[in-house]
PDB file of all heavy atoms in Angstrom:
ATOM      1  N   ASP A   2      77.604  78.793  -1.314  1.00  0.00           N
ATOM      2  CA  ASP A   2      76.268  79.256  -1.602  1.00  0.00           C
ATOM      3  C   ASP A   2      75.290  78.658  -0.633  1.00  0.00           C
ATOM      4  O   ASP A   2      75.226  77.426  -0.520  1.00  0.00           O
ATOM      5  CB  ASP A   2      75.964  78.805  -3.049  1.00  0.00           C
ATOM      6  CG  ASP A   2      74.678  79.293  -3.519  1.00  0.00           C
ATOM      7  OD1 ASP A   2      73.747  79.367  -2.731  1.00  0.00           O
ATOM      8  OD2 ASP A   2      74.567  79.727  -4.684  1.00  0.00           O
ATOM      9  N   ILE A   4      72.257  78.048  -0.804  1.00  0.00           N
ATOM     10  CA  ILE A   4      71.340  77.091  -1.413  1.00  0.00           C
ATOM     11  C   ILE A   4      71.988  75.725  -1.638  1.00  0.00           C
ATOM     12  O   ILE A   4      71.402  74.685  -1.522  1.00  0.00           O
ATOM     13  CB  ILE A   4      70.772  77.625  -2.747  1.00  0.00           C
ATOM     14  CG1 ILE A   4      69.848  78.785  -2.466  1.00  0.00           C
ATOM     15  CG2 ILE A   4      69.979  76.474  -3.466  1.00  0.00           C
ATOM     16  CD1 ILE A   4      69.201  79.428  -3.669  1.00  0.00           C
ATOM     17  N   ARG A   5      73.293  75.752  -1.892  1.00  0.00           N
ATOM     18  CA  ARG A   5      73.952  74.497  -2.237  1.00  0.00           C
ATOM     19  C   ARG A   5      74.574  73.742  -1.140  1.00  0.00           C
ATOM     20  O   ARG A   5      74.961  72.609  -1.270  1.00  0.00           O
ATOM     21  CB  ARG A   5      75.012  74.814  -3.313  1.00  0.00           C
ATOM     22  CG  ARG A   5      74.494  75.558  -4.517  1.00  0.00           C
ATOM     23  CD  ARG A   5      75.583  75.772  -5.558  1.00  0.00           C
ATOM     24  NE  ARG A   5      75.910  74.559  -6.280  1.00  0.00           N
ATOM     25  CZ  ARG A   5      76.813  74.464  -7.210  1.00  0.00           C
ATOM     26  NH1 ARG A   5      77.481  75.611  -7.564  1.00  0.00           N
ATOM     27  NH2 ARG A   5      77.070  73.367  -7.826  1.00  0.00           N
ATOM     28  N   THR A   9      69.547  70.951   5.712  1.00  0.00           N
ATOM     29  CA  THR A   9      69.321  71.523   7.007  1.00  0.00           C
ATOM     30  C   THR A   9      69.561  70.551   8.132  1.00  0.00           C
ATOM     31  O   THR A   9      70.046  70.868   9.196  1.00  0.00           O
ATOM     32  CB  THR A   9      67.850  72.053   6.983  1.00  0.00           C
ATOM     33  OG1 THR A   9      67.741  73.057   6.035  1.00  0.00           O
ATOM     34  CG2 THR A   9      67.581  72.721   8.375  1.00  0.00           C
ATOM     35  N   ARG A 105      56.418  98.595  19.948  1.00  0.00           N
ATOM     36  CA  ARG A 105      55.842  98.135  18.675  1.00  0.00           C
ATOM     37  C   ARG A 105      56.286  96.694  18.346  1.00  0.00           C
ATOM     38  O   ARG A 105      55.482  95.831  18.016  1.00  0.00           O
ATOM     39  CB  ARG A 105      56.336  99.086  17.568  1.00  0.00           C
ATOM     40  CG  ARG A 105      55.653  98.782  16.229  1.00  0.00           C
ATOM     41  CD  ARG A 105      56.029  99.893  15.220  1.00  0.00           C
ATOM     42  NE  ARG A 105      55.310  99.752  14.011  1.00  0.00           N
ATOM     43  CZ  ARG A 105      54.036 100.109  13.757  1.00  0.00           C
ATOM     44  NH1 ARG A 105      53.352 100.626  14.729  1.00  0.00           N
ATOM     45  NH2 ARG A 105      53.499  99.814  12.622  1.00  0.00           N
ATOM     46  N   HIS A 113      52.393  87.354  16.807  1.00  0.00           N
ATOM     47  CA  HIS A 113      52.932  86.109  16.349  1.00  0.00           C
ATOM     48  C   HIS A 113      52.515  84.918  17.247  1.00  0.00           C
ATOM     49  O   HIS A 113      52.038  83.858  16.814  1.00  0.00           O
ATOM     50  CB  HIS A 113      54.461  86.048  16.245  1.00  0.00           C
ATOM     51  CG  HIS A 113      55.042  87.118  15.328  1.00  0.00           C
ATOM     52  ND1 HIS A 113      56.350  87.602  15.407  1.00  0.00           N
ATOM     53  CD2 HIS A 113      54.489  87.906  14.372  1.00  0.00           C
ATOM     54  CE1 HIS A 113      56.573  88.479  14.511  1.00  0.00           C
ATOM     55  NE2 HIS A 113      55.470  88.764  13.894  1.00  0.00           N
ATOM     56  N   PHE A 170      64.256  79.783  10.250  1.00  0.00           N
ATOM     57  CA  PHE A 170      64.947  79.252   9.056  1.00  0.00           C
ATOM     58  C   PHE A 170      64.946  77.685   9.124  1.00  0.00           C
ATOM     59  O   PHE A 170      64.586  77.038   8.137  1.00  0.00           O
ATOM     60  CB  PHE A 170      66.429  79.772   8.952  1.00  0.00           C
ATOM     61  CG  PHE A 170      67.203  79.210   7.851  1.00  0.00           C
ATOM     62  CD1 PHE A 170      67.055  79.569   6.571  1.00  0.00           C
ATOM     63  CD2 PHE A 170      68.198  78.253   8.140  1.00  0.00           C
ATOM     64  CE1 PHE A 170      67.779  79.088   5.543  1.00  0.00           C
ATOM     65  CE2 PHE A 170      68.986  77.692   7.119  1.00  0.00           C
ATOM     66  CZ  PHE A 170      68.712  78.103   5.817  1.00  0.00           C
ATOM     67  N   GLN A 183      53.718  79.411   4.942  1.00  0.00           N
ATOM     68  CA  GLN A 183      53.642  80.761   4.521  1.00  0.00           C
ATOM     69  C   GLN A 183      53.560  81.753   5.733  1.00  0.00           C
ATOM     70  O   GLN A 183      54.136  82.820   5.727  1.00  0.00           O
ATOM     71  CB  GLN A 183      52.399  80.874   3.662  1.00  0.00           C
ATOM     72  CG  GLN A 183      52.589  80.076   2.362  1.00  0.00           C
ATOM     73  CD  GLN A 183      51.339  80.048   1.473  1.00  0.00           C
ATOM     74  OE1 GLN A 183      50.240  79.889   1.960  1.00  0.00           O
ATOM     75  NE2 GLN A 183      51.535  80.239   0.182  1.00  0.00           N
ATOM     76  N   SER A 187      56.199  84.756   6.787  1.00  0.00           N
ATOM     77  CA  SER A 187      55.795  86.113   6.994  1.00  0.00           C
ATOM     78  C   SER A 187      56.182  86.598   8.377  1.00  0.00           C
ATOM     79  O   SER A 187      56.533  87.762   8.583  1.00  0.00           O
ATOM     80  CB  SER A 187      54.284  86.302   6.754  1.00  0.00           C
ATOM     81  OG  SER A 187      53.541  85.755   7.830  1.00  0.00           O
ATOM     82  N   MET A 189      59.060  85.242   9.995  1.00  0.00           N
ATOM     83  CA  MET A 189      60.498  85.339   9.899  1.00  0.00           C
ATOM     84  C   MET A 189      60.898  86.640   9.234  1.00  0.00           C
ATOM     85  O   MET A 189      61.835  87.330   9.604  1.00  0.00           O
ATOM     86  CB  MET A 189      60.984  84.187   9.037  1.00  0.00           C
ATOM     87  CG  MET A 189      62.446  84.090   8.885  1.00  0.00           C
ATOM     88  SD  MET A 189      62.904  82.501   8.079  1.00  0.00           S
ATOM     89  CE  MET A 189      64.570  82.870   7.506  1.00  0.00           C
ATOM     90  N   ASN A 191      59.221  89.428   9.212  1.00  0.00           N
ATOM     91  CA  ASN A 191      59.015  90.510  10.181  1.00  0.00           C
ATOM     92  C   ASN A 191      60.165  90.595  11.191  1.00  0.00           C
ATOM     93  O   ASN A 191      60.612  91.676  11.532  1.00  0.00           O
ATOM     94  CB  ASN A 191      57.646  90.330  10.871  1.00  0.00           C
ATOM     95  CG  ASN A 191      57.372  91.393  11.957  1.00  0.00           C
ATOM     96  OD1 ASN A 191      57.330  91.049  13.126  1.00  0.00           O
ATOM     97  ND2 ASN A 191      57.236  92.617  11.597  1.00  0.00           N
ATOM     98  N   GLN A 194      62.825  92.431   9.641  1.00  0.00           N
ATOM     99  CA  GLN A 194      62.633  93.864   9.643  1.00  0.00           C
ATOM    100  C   GLN A 194      62.938  94.465  11.006  1.00  0.00           C
ATOM    101  O   GLN A 194      63.498  95.568  11.062  1.00  0.00           O
ATOM    102  CB  GLN A 194      61.136  94.161   9.259  1.00  0.00           C
ATOM    103  CG  GLN A 194      60.849  93.809   7.763  1.00  0.00           C
ATOM    104  CD  GLN A 194      59.486  94.237   7.350  1.00  0.00           C
ATOM    105  OE1 GLN A 194      58.573  94.205   8.191  1.00  0.00           O
ATOM    106  NE2 GLN A 194      59.305  94.587   6.085  1.00  0.00           N
ATOM    107  N   LYS A 201      70.355  99.342  12.639  1.00  0.00           N
ATOM    108  CA  LYS A 201      70.614 100.744  12.324  1.00  0.00           C
ATOM    109  C   LYS A 201      70.783 101.565  13.604  1.00  0.00           C
ATOM    110  O   LYS A 201      71.670 102.439  13.678  1.00  0.00           O
ATOM    111  CB  LYS A 201      69.350 101.286  11.569  1.00  0.00           C
ATOM    112  CG  LYS A 201      69.470 101.166  10.051  1.00  0.00           C
ATOM    113  CD  LYS A 201      68.384 101.942   9.328  1.00  0.00           C
ATOM    114  CE  LYS A 201      68.800 103.427   9.182  1.00  0.00           C
ATOM    115  NZ  LYS A 201      67.764 104.134   8.338  1.00  0.00           N
ATOM    116  N   ILE A 208      71.735  95.497   6.647  1.00  0.00           N
ATOM    117  CA  ILE A 208      71.473  94.288   5.760  1.00  0.00           C
ATOM    118  C   ILE A 208      72.813  93.584   5.503  1.00  0.00           C
ATOM    119  O   ILE A 208      73.253  93.581   4.288  1.00  0.00           O
ATOM    120  CB  ILE A 208      70.712  94.683   4.508  1.00  0.00           C
ATOM    121  CG1 ILE A 208      71.333  95.944   3.854  1.00  0.00           C
ATOM    122  CG2 ILE A 208      69.232  94.860   4.786  1.00  0.00           C
ATOM    123  CD1 ILE A 208      70.816  96.190   2.418  1.00  0.00           C
ATOM    124  N   ASN A 210      73.387  90.386   5.218  1.00  0.00           N
ATOM    125  CA  ASN A 210      73.308  89.054   4.636  1.00  0.00           C
ATOM    126  C   ASN A 210      72.186  89.059   3.588  1.00  0.00           C
ATOM    127  O   ASN A 210      71.068  89.359   3.887  1.00  0.00           O
ATOM    128  CB  ASN A 210      72.915  88.017   5.709  1.00  0.00           C
ATOM    129  CG  ASN A 210      73.790  88.107   6.955  1.00  0.00           C
ATOM    130  OD1 ASN A 210      74.960  87.964   6.860  1.00  0.00           O
ATOM    131  ND2 ASN A 210      73.154  88.361   8.096  1.00  0.00           N
ATOM    132  N   ALA A 211      72.593  88.714   2.339  1.00  0.00           N
ATOM    133  CA  ALA A 211      71.594  88.511   1.222  1.00  0.00           C
ATOM    134  C   ALA A 211      70.675  87.404   1.553  1.00  0.00           C
ATOM    135  O   ALA A 211      69.503  87.374   1.110  1.00  0.00           O
ATOM    136  CB  ALA A 211      72.303  88.307  -0.097  1.00  0.00           C
ATOM    137  N   GLU A 213      69.138  85.852   4.735  1.00  0.00           N
ATOM    138  CA  GLU A 213      69.008  86.094   6.173  1.00  0.00           C
ATOM    139  C   GLU A 213      68.590  84.784   6.870  1.00  0.00           C
ATOM    140  O   GLU A 213      67.441  84.505   7.070  1.00  0.00           O
ATOM    141  CB  GLU A 213      67.985  87.241   6.412  1.00  0.00           C
ATOM    142  CG  GLU A 213      68.007  87.743   7.845  1.00  0.00           C
ATOM    143  CD  GLU A 213      69.305  88.485   8.253  1.00  0.00           C
ATOM    144  OE1 GLU A 213      69.342  89.702   8.034  1.00  0.00           O
ATOM    145  OE2 GLU A 213      70.283  87.799   8.666  1.00  0.00           O
TER     146      GLU A 213
ATOM    147  N   GLN B  92      72.694  92.363  -3.393  1.00  0.00           N
ATOM    148  CA  GLN B  92      72.003  91.252  -2.782  1.00  0.00           C
ATOM    149  C   GLN B  92      71.008  90.536  -3.717  1.00  0.00           C
ATOM    150  O   GLN B  92      70.901  89.321  -3.691  1.00  0.00           O
ATOM    151  CB  GLN B  92      71.353  91.745  -1.512  1.00  0.00           C
ATOM    152  CG  GLN B  92      72.308  92.225  -0.479  1.00  0.00           C
ATOM    153  CD  GLN B  92      71.709  92.438   0.900  1.00  0.00           C
ATOM    154  OE1 GLN B  92      70.546  92.822   1.051  1.00  0.00           O
ATOM    155  NE2 GLN B  92      72.560  92.161   1.956  1.00  0.00           N
ATOM    156  N   HIS B  96      71.012  86.592  -4.814  1.00  0.00           N
ATOM    157  CA  HIS B  96      69.898  85.760  -4.928  1.00  0.00           C
ATOM    158  C   HIS B  96      69.846  85.052  -6.314  1.00  0.00           C
ATOM    159  O   HIS B  96      69.574  83.859  -6.394  1.00  0.00           O
ATOM    160  CB  HIS B  96      68.558  86.556  -4.684  1.00  0.00           C
ATOM    161  CG  HIS B  96      68.431  87.240  -3.414  1.00  0.00           C
ATOM    162  ND1 HIS B  96      67.526  88.173  -3.154  1.00  0.00           N
ATOM    163  CD2 HIS B  96      69.127  87.049  -2.226  1.00  0.00           C
ATOM    164  CE1 HIS B  96      67.591  88.631  -1.932  1.00  0.00           C
ATOM    165  NE2 HIS B  96      68.592  87.969  -1.346  1.00  0.00           N
ATOM    166  N   GLY B  99      72.485  82.426  -6.533  1.00  0.00           N
ATOM    167  CA  GLY B  99      72.065  81.254  -5.726  1.00  0.00           C
ATOM    168  C   GLY B  99      71.078  80.395  -6.411  1.00  0.00           C
ATOM    169  O   GLY B  99      71.060  79.163  -6.462  1.00  0.00           O
ATOM    170  N   ALA B 103      71.113  76.596  -7.863  1.00  0.00           N
ATOM    171  CA  ALA B 103      70.131  75.534  -7.381  1.00  0.00           C
ATOM    172  C   ALA B 103      69.425  74.972  -8.609  1.00  0.00           C
ATOM    173  O   ALA B 103      69.125  73.739  -8.587  1.00  0.00           O
ATOM    174  CB  ALA B 103      69.156  76.191  -6.412  1.00  0.00           C
ATOM    175  N   ASP B 106      71.761  72.532 -10.094  1.00  0.00           N
ATOM    176  CA  ASP B 106      71.902  71.403  -9.206  1.00  0.00           C
ATOM    177  C   ASP B 106      70.729  70.419  -9.455  1.00  0.00           C
ATOM    178  O   ASP B 106      70.863  69.201  -9.312  1.00  0.00           O
ATOM    179  CB  ASP B 106      71.931  71.819  -7.757  1.00  0.00           C
ATOM    180  CG  ASP B 106      73.297  72.179  -7.333  1.00  0.00           C
ATOM    181  OD1 ASP B 106      74.246  72.150  -8.186  1.00  0.00           O
ATOM    182  OD2 ASP B 106      73.440  72.691  -6.172  1.00  0.00           O
ATOM    183  N   ILE B 145      56.312  83.800  -1.249  1.00  0.00           N
ATOM    184  CA  ILE B 145      55.363  83.191  -0.210  1.00  0.00           C
ATOM    185  C   ILE B 145      54.324  82.311  -0.920  1.00  0.00           C
ATOM    186  O   ILE B 145      54.056  81.239  -0.460  1.00  0.00           O
ATOM    187  CB  ILE B 145      54.736  84.304   0.591  1.00  0.00           C
ATOM    188  CG1 ILE B 145      55.728  84.870   1.528  1.00  0.00           C
ATOM    189  CG2 ILE B 145      53.583  83.666   1.458  1.00  0.00           C
ATOM    190  CD1 ILE B 145      55.282  85.978   2.437  1.00  0.00           C
ATOM    191  N   GLU B 155      65.812  72.081   2.274  1.00  0.00           N
ATOM    192  CA  GLU B 155      66.738  73.288   2.144  1.00  0.00           C
ATOM    193  C   GLU B 155      66.220  74.328   1.267  1.00  0.00           C
ATOM    194  O   GLU B 155      66.311  75.539   1.491  1.00  0.00           O
ATOM    195  CB  GLU B 155      68.090  72.855   1.711  1.00  0.00           C
ATOM    196  CG  GLU B 155      69.142  73.931   1.722  1.00  0.00           C
ATOM    197  CD  GLU B 155      69.592  74.265   3.122  1.00  0.00           C
ATOM    198  OE1 GLU B 155      69.207  73.647   4.085  1.00  0.00           O
ATOM    199  OE2 GLU B 155      70.493  75.170   3.233  1.00  0.00           O
ATOM    200  N   THR B 159      65.848  78.171   2.365  1.00  0.00           N
ATOM    201  CA  THR B 159      66.585  79.218   1.712  1.00  0.00           C
ATOM    202  C   THR B 159      65.675  80.273   1.128  1.00  0.00           C
ATOM    203  O   THR B 159      65.936  81.484   1.076  1.00  0.00           O
ATOM    204  CB  THR B 159      67.514  78.602   0.616  1.00  0.00           C
ATOM    205  OG1 THR B 159      68.359  77.695   1.290  1.00  0.00           O
ATOM    206  CG2 THR B 159      68.391  79.685   0.039  1.00  0.00           C
ATOM    207  N   ASN B 166      65.254  88.709   3.595  1.00  0.00           N
ATOM    208  CA  ASN B 166      66.098  89.767   3.091  1.00  0.00           C
ATOM    209  C   ASN B 166      65.351  90.794   2.246  1.00  0.00           C
ATOM    210  O   ASN B 166      65.500  92.018   2.378  1.00  0.00           O
ATOM    211  CB  ASN B 166      67.228  89.119   2.252  1.00  0.00           C
ATOM    212  CG  ASN B 166      68.136  90.170   1.621  1.00  0.00           C
ATOM    213  OD1 ASN B 166      68.215  90.360   0.427  1.00  0.00           O
ATOM    214  ND2 ASN B 166      68.880  90.900   2.498  1.00  0.00           N
ATOM    215  N   ALA B 168      62.262  91.484   2.710  1.00  0.00           N
ATOM    216  CA  ALA B 168      61.436  92.254   3.603  1.00  0.00           C
ATOM    217  C   ALA B 168      62.340  93.336   4.360  1.00  0.00           C
ATOM    218  O   ALA B 168      61.888  94.418   4.665  1.00  0.00           O
ATOM    219  CB  ALA B 168      60.930  91.332   4.755  1.00  0.00           C
ATOM    220  N   GLU B 169      63.585  93.032   4.567  1.00  0.00           N
ATOM    221  CA  GLU B 169      64.540  93.960   5.083  1.00  0.00           C
ATOM    222  C   GLU B 169      64.711  95.189   4.134  1.00  0.00           C
ATOM    223  O   GLU B 169      64.748  96.314   4.534  1.00  0.00           O
ATOM    224  CB  GLU B 169      65.854  93.306   5.380  1.00  0.00           C
ATOM    225  CG  GLU B 169      65.802  92.281   6.476  1.00  0.00           C
ATOM    226  CD  GLU B 169      67.098  91.494   6.724  1.00  0.00           C
ATOM    227  OE1 GLU B 169      67.959  91.461   5.772  1.00  0.00           O
ATOM    228  OE2 GLU B 169      67.210  90.965   7.819  1.00  0.00           O
ATOM    229  N   ASP B 176      61.476 103.403   5.111  1.00  0.00           N
ATOM    230  CA  ASP B 176      62.203 104.418   5.896  1.00  0.00           C
ATOM    231  C   ASP B 176      62.687 105.608   5.063  1.00  0.00           C
ATOM    232  O   ASP B 176      62.493 106.742   5.384  1.00  0.00           O
ATOM    233  CB  ASP B 176      63.295 103.734   6.726  1.00  0.00           C
ATOM    234  CG  ASP B 176      63.877 104.639   7.748  1.00  0.00           C
ATOM    235  OD1 ASP B 176      63.088 105.298   8.492  1.00  0.00           O
ATOM    236  OD2 ASP B 176      65.146 104.718   7.843  1.00  0.00           O
ATOM    237  N   GLU B 181      56.580 104.345   8.097  1.00  0.00           N
ATOM    238  CA  GLU B 181      56.894 103.409   9.134  1.00  0.00           C
ATOM    239  C   GLU B 181      57.615 102.202   8.523  1.00  0.00           C
ATOM    240  O   GLU B 181      57.086 101.549   7.613  1.00  0.00           O
ATOM    241  CB  GLU B 181      55.505 102.985   9.765  1.00  0.00           C
ATOM    242  CG  GLU B 181      55.595 101.733  10.646  1.00  0.00           C
ATOM    243  CD  GLU B 181      56.622 101.905  11.730  1.00  0.00           C
ATOM    244  OE1 GLU B 181      56.666 102.922  12.422  1.00  0.00           O
ATOM    245  OE2 GLU B 181      57.412 100.882  11.946  1.00  0.00           O
ATOM    246  N   VAL B 183      58.343  99.230   9.751  1.00  0.00           N
ATOM    247  CA  VAL B 183      57.854  97.852  10.082  1.00  0.00           C
ATOM    248  C   VAL B 183      56.365  98.042  10.370  1.00  0.00           C
ATOM    249  O   VAL B 183      55.863  98.013  11.462  1.00  0.00           O
ATOM    250  CB  VAL B 183      58.563  97.284  11.357  1.00  0.00           C
ATOM    251  CG1 VAL B 183      58.283  95.793  11.480  1.00  0.00           C
ATOM    252  CG2 VAL B 183      60.093  97.501  11.186  1.00  0.00           C
ATOM    253  N   SER B 185      53.719  96.067   9.865  1.00  0.00           N
ATOM    254  CA  SER B 185      52.824  94.939  10.210  1.00  0.00           C
ATOM    255  C   SER B 185      53.594  93.843  10.839  1.00  0.00           C
ATOM    256  O   SER B 185      54.788  93.625  10.571  1.00  0.00           O
ATOM    257  CB  SER B 185      52.161  94.466   8.936  1.00  0.00           C
ATOM    258  OG  SER B 185      51.538  93.232   9.163  1.00  0.00           O
ATOM    259  N   ALA B 186      52.948  93.059  11.684  1.00  0.00           N
ATOM    260  CA  ALA B 186      53.590  91.925  12.362  1.00  0.00           C
ATOM    261  C   ALA B 186      53.838  90.727  11.345  1.00  0.00           C
ATOM    262  O   ALA B 186      54.619  89.854  11.631  1.00  0.00           O
ATOM    263  CB  ALA B 186      52.781  91.445  13.545  1.00  0.00           C
ATOM    264  N   VAL B 188      54.615  89.893   7.371  1.00  0.00           N
ATOM    265  CA  VAL B 188      54.996  90.470   6.028  1.00  0.00           C
ATOM    266  C   VAL B 188      54.495  89.548   4.889  1.00  0.00           C
ATOM    267  O   VAL B 188      54.907  88.385   4.869  1.00  0.00           O
ATOM    268  CB  VAL B 188      56.558  90.548   5.915  1.00  0.00           C
ATOM    269  CG1 VAL B 188      57.003  91.087   4.541  1.00  0.00           C
ATOM    270  CG2 VAL B 188      57.106  91.494   7.038  1.00  0.00           C
TER     271      VAL B 188
END
Side-chain angles (χ1 to χ4, degrees):
Chain A
D2 186 319
I4 291 182
R5 302 183 75 179
T9 300
R105 186 172 186 79
H113 301 162
F170 175 75
Q183 294 175 318
S187 73
M189 179 174 163
N191 176 247
Q194 292 186 327
K201 271 190 82 171
I208 46 167
N210 310 303
E213 192 67 91
Chain B
Q92 295 191 327
H96 299 164
D106 280 355
I145 288 178
E155 186 77 2
T159 303
N166 178 247
E169 293 173 338
D176 192 43
E181 164 57 45
V183 193
S185 166
V188 178

